[in-house]
């Protein structure tokens, strides 16, 4: 029976980082297990095609339980299945969140995770096209680029946002997030640049690093209070046990708590409900689920250079030959962070804006040119939870986000919809708008807007929090060194450990978590902030 020093479950945004960093020492054996396949699909490489991965073999294709506050609809939660995980499926927007997000992590019982602690790891990961500075790094594995071929309409979106009272943000990833700007992206040469591209592929030939795809982990092998390996099913081999000095779950906010529960680690009442014997009672497993809910406001426009033309042969030829044009787009090209009412410590709404029609996760279509402004609630009060559907590892777990259960969340999203309209009323946009398509001019008062919000609300692919990190919180699953409470030899390293969801897209923070986790695991001293930019 093979034994590895580290077995990493999941080759996503965090798992690829760990595979790279933990295998630097050639005397250490590292195994990376991924349930999906290789990342060879053109829909992974072509930036604008990310939504074409939804509901395919590249997607875990999760749905929430009926959500009581959004007309009992089940909300779709895509998760990347394959090398790179969700970094091979996301919209590639590079957003860190606010300093106060990480200070809040530390304050709730995670020392060493305040903003000044984590900033060196953001810098260490970055290879930023803007160069090294106090706030950015160069030479790191993760390429952070300017957009290759933004649509001309973006200039109007920027100008109209400023006219509506949102100032220009020189660097929304610096100390002050508020304002409007073009997104920076995880791309290189007009192609997606995932965690697999950044961290895994450059070291794939290390003799001490083994990567297995098509490997479904069924559970964690325990001896008393210690994790000693994992049970894996791969192809026709059937189930086998792989021994490990340390098991690291990087299966994501849905997969990591599911594996803990399948292994008998969780709230006893949740495990008993599906007949899983309790090996270690840990109430917080699956609790504290958070995501960013959003809705789209869409207009028909007279501008003829939108993403409506992205699938035409000319656009495909341009991308194939030069890696430019509409297919290099992230769809949401302009972003803004805004406080919708006085007294807030930071923005409550993030706007994703672009020259496209986007509704129902890209499944809805419109035969014409359009633009979209999507208000996203980035500091939700609502909390959900996740639990097993059955003791069968192949059954998808059940979960609910409770989106729109909190009046403050509803107020922010309604204000975000009105803000979107105010931006569209400004001259740079008003002169090219033909009509409002969604929610439509009939939705004028708060009641009509709320009806539309409940009917069309979506989640923006940022689930976090189900294995909460804290040394002191009663629902903590891992401590500040990411070790599962009460179980030796077992850590969780992915977005599930976030105590509070950051104010923005979650890929960059997940990479940061894995960079810091590698140092914690190896006992390395973090690079000082003043030198991290050159690492």
């Amino acid at each position: 029976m093979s034994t590895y020093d580290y077995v990493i479950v999941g080759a996503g945004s965090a798992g690829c980082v760990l595979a790279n960093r933990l295998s630097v020492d050639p005397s250490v054996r590292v195994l990376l297990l991924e349930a999906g396949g290789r990342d060879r699909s053109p829909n992974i490489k072509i930036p604008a095609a990310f939504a074409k991965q939804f509901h395919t073999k590249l997607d875990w294709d999760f749905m929430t339980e009926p959500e009581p506050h959004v007309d009992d609809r089940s909300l779709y939660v895509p998760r990347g299945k394959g090398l790179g995980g969700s970094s091979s499926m996301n919209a590639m927007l590079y957003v860190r969140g606010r300093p106060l997000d990480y200070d809040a992590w530390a304050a709730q019982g995670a020392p060493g995770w305040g903003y000044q602690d984590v900033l060196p790891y953001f810098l260490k990961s970055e290879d930023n096209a803007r160069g090294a500075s106090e706030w950015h790094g160069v030479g790191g594995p993760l390429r952070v680029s300017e957009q290759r071929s933004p649509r001309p309409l973006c200039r109007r979106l920027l100008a109209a946002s400023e006219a509506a009272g949102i100032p220009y943000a020189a660097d929304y990833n610096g100390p002050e997030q508020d304002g409007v700007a073009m997104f920076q992206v995880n791309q290189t040469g007009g192609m997606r640049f995932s965690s697999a591209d950044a961290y895994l592929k450059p070291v794939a030939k290390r003799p001490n690093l083994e990567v297995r795809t098509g490997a479904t982990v069924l559970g964690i092998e325990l001896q008393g209070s210690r994790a000693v390996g994992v049970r894996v099913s791969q192809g026709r081999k059937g189930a086998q046990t792989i021994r490990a000095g340390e098991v690291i779950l990087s299966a994501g906010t849905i997969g990591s708590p599911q594996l803990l529960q399948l292994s008998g680690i969780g709230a006893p009442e949740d495990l008993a409900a599906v007949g899983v014997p309790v090996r270690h009672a840990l109430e917080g497993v699956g609790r504290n689920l958070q995501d960013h809910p959003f809705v789209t406001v869409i207009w028909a426009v007279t501008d003829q250079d939108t993403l409506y033309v992205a699938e035409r042969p000319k656009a495909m030829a341009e991308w194939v030959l030069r890696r430019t044009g509409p297919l290099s787009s992230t769809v949401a090209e302009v972003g803004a962070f805004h406080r919708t009412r006085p007294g807030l410590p930071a923005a409550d709404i993030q706007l994703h804006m672009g020259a496209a029609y986007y509704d129902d996760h890209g499944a809805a279509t419109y035969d014409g040119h359009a633009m979209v402004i999507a208000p996203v609630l980035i500091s939700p009060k609502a909390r959900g939870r996740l639990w097993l559907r059955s003791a069968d590892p192949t059954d998808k777990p059940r979960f609910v986000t409770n989106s729109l259960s909190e009046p403050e969340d509803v107020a922010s999203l309604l204000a975000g919809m009105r803000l979107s309209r105010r931006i569209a009323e400004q001259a740079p946009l008003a002169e090219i708008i033909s009509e409002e398509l969604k929610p439509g001019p009939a939705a004028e008062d708060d009641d009509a807007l709320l009806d539309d919000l409940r009917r069309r609300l979506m989640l923006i692919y940022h689930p976090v929090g189900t294995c909460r990190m804290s040394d002191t919180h009663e629902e903590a699953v891992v401590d500040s060194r990411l070790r599962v409470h009460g179980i030796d030899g077992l850590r969780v390293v992915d977005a599930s450990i976030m105590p509070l969801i950051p104010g923005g897209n979650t890929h960059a923070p997940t990479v940061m978590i894995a960079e810091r986790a590698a140092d914690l695991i190896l006992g390395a001293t973090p690079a000082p902030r003043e030198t991290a930019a050159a690492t």
Side-chain angles (χ1 to χ4, degrees), residues 43-163:
N43 288 334
I44 294 175
K45 306 304 180 186
I46 300 172
F50 69 87
K52 290 189 177 296
Q53 298 181 58
F54 296 168
H55 308 297
T56 72
K57 67 179 182 180
L58 302 173
D59 180 12
W60 283 98
D61 199 11
F62 294 117
M63 300 288 292
T64 72
E65 296 296 292
E67 295 276 358
H69 304 280
V70 290
D71 295 346
D72 289 319
R73 292 185 298 118
S74 291
L75 301 180
Y76 172 50
V77 182
R79 296 283 82 197
K81 188 176 185 181
L83 296 183
S86 293
S87 75
S88 289
M89 179 184 275
N90 65 6
M92 297 149 285
L93 307 181
Y94 185 76
V95 183
R96 294 178 179 173
R98 298 79 58 101
L100 61 80
D101 293 326
Y102 305 102
D103 291 340
W105 290 13
Q108 61 83 59
W113 290 87
Y115 182 64
Q116 293 301 325
D117 302 306
V118 303
L119 180 58
Y121 293 100
F122 281 117
L123 271 61
K124 180 180 182 180
S125 70
E126 270 191 10
D127 185 20
N128 199 301
R130 296 181 184 178
S133 70
E134 183 180 9
W135 308 107
H136 292 288
V138 297
L142 188 65
R143 183 65 177 167
V144 181
S145 303
E146 308 301 337
Q147 293 177 50
R148 183 83 159 178
S149 299
R151 300 295 88 198
L153 194 148
C154 291
R155 292 192 292 271
R156 294 181 184 270
L157 286 165
L158 291 165
S161 296
E162 292 191 76

Side-chain angles (χ1 to χ4, degrees), residues 171-182:
D171 181 7
Y172 61 84
N173 284 317
E176 179 53 61
Q177 183 191 59
D178 290 28
V180 64
M182 298 293 293

Side-chain angles (χ1 to χ4, degrees), residues 223-247:
Q223 286 184 0
S225 62
R226 182 172 188 85
V228 296
V230 294
R231 297 185 303 280
V232 180
S233 174
Q234 186 174 19
R236 298 177 180 176
K237 297 178 182 178
Q240 59 177 309
T241 298
I242 298 173
R243 308 286 287 188
E246 183 162 351
V247 174

Side-chain angles (χ1 to χ4, degrees), residues 497-516:
I497 66 95
M498 296 183 186
L500 297 167
I501 194 167
N505 308 66
T506 51
H507 171 56
T510 303
V511 170
M512 174 276 292
I513 287 168
E515 285 277 19
R516 186 163 195 279

Side-chain angles (χ1 to χ4, degrees), residues 165-234:
I166 303 175
Y168 178 74
D171 181 7
Y172 61 84
N173 284 317
E176 179 53 61
Q177 183 191 59
D178 290 28
V180 64
M182 298 293 293
F183 282 116
Q184 282 199 295
V185 296
N186 293 129
Q187 292 184 13
T188 182
M191 295 173 56
R192 175 188 298 279
F193 198 67
S194 69
S195 274
D197 295 318
Y199 286 91
L200 188 59
K201 292 178 183 178
V203 302
K205 293 184 179 180
R206 283 178 180 167
N208 62 323
L209 172 61
E210 182 180 347
V211 180
R212 297 188 195 177
T213 56
T216 300
V217 175
L218 307 175
I220 303 156
E221 194 74 11
L222 298 171
Q223 286 184 0
S225 62
R226 182 172 188 85
V228 296
V230 294
R231 297 185 303 280
V232 180
S233 174
Q234 186 174 19

